[in-house]
Amino acid sequence: MTAITSKTFTYGPSLNIPRGARAAADLFLAAGRLLAGLMTHKPQRSQDMSAEEVRHLALSVQNSDPGFSADLLAALARHDADAR
């Protein structure tokens, strides 16, 4: 019969990371987070159009897109009715 002997070590390996490498890694991570923040798209709030601007837009596209023009004019009529 054969016997297997196993030696279990009770201490963990020591990881001595040089201070310069740790500082360089921290700097690299900070730069990555900064670039990620700059590359993130943050939508800006659009400016509101006045009723006269919407009416002008609707009339300007009436020949090329009558359905869109009708939708704009209908929305403008609802807005005017709600405002009164």
Side-chain angles (χ1 to χ4, degrees):
M1 186 177 257
T2 60
I4 298 176
T5 304
S6 173
K7 292 185 178 182
T8 305
F9 299 101
T10 58
Y11 63 92
S14 64
L15 297 175
N16 292 330
I17 300 172
R19 283 178 275 169
R22 181 177 298 274
D26 290 342
L27 182 64
F28 183 76
L29 287 174
R33 288 185 187 114
L34 177 67
L35 286 175
L38 292 175
M39 298 298 174
T40 303
H41 177 66
K42 297 173 186 166
Q44 295 178 353
R45 186 169 185 240
S46 63
Q47 295 179 357
D48 294 335
M49 294 178 71
S50 69
E52 199 57 42
E53 290 172 330
V54 172
R55 184 174 286 109
H56 179 70
L57 176 64
L59 295 176
S60 70
V61 297
Q62 191 170 20
N63 291 335
S64 60
D65 195 353
F68 180 61
S69 177
D71 289 343
L72 285 176
L73 291 172
L76 188 59
R78 282 193 306 271
H79 177 72
D80 286 344
D82 289 342
R84 291 179 187 172

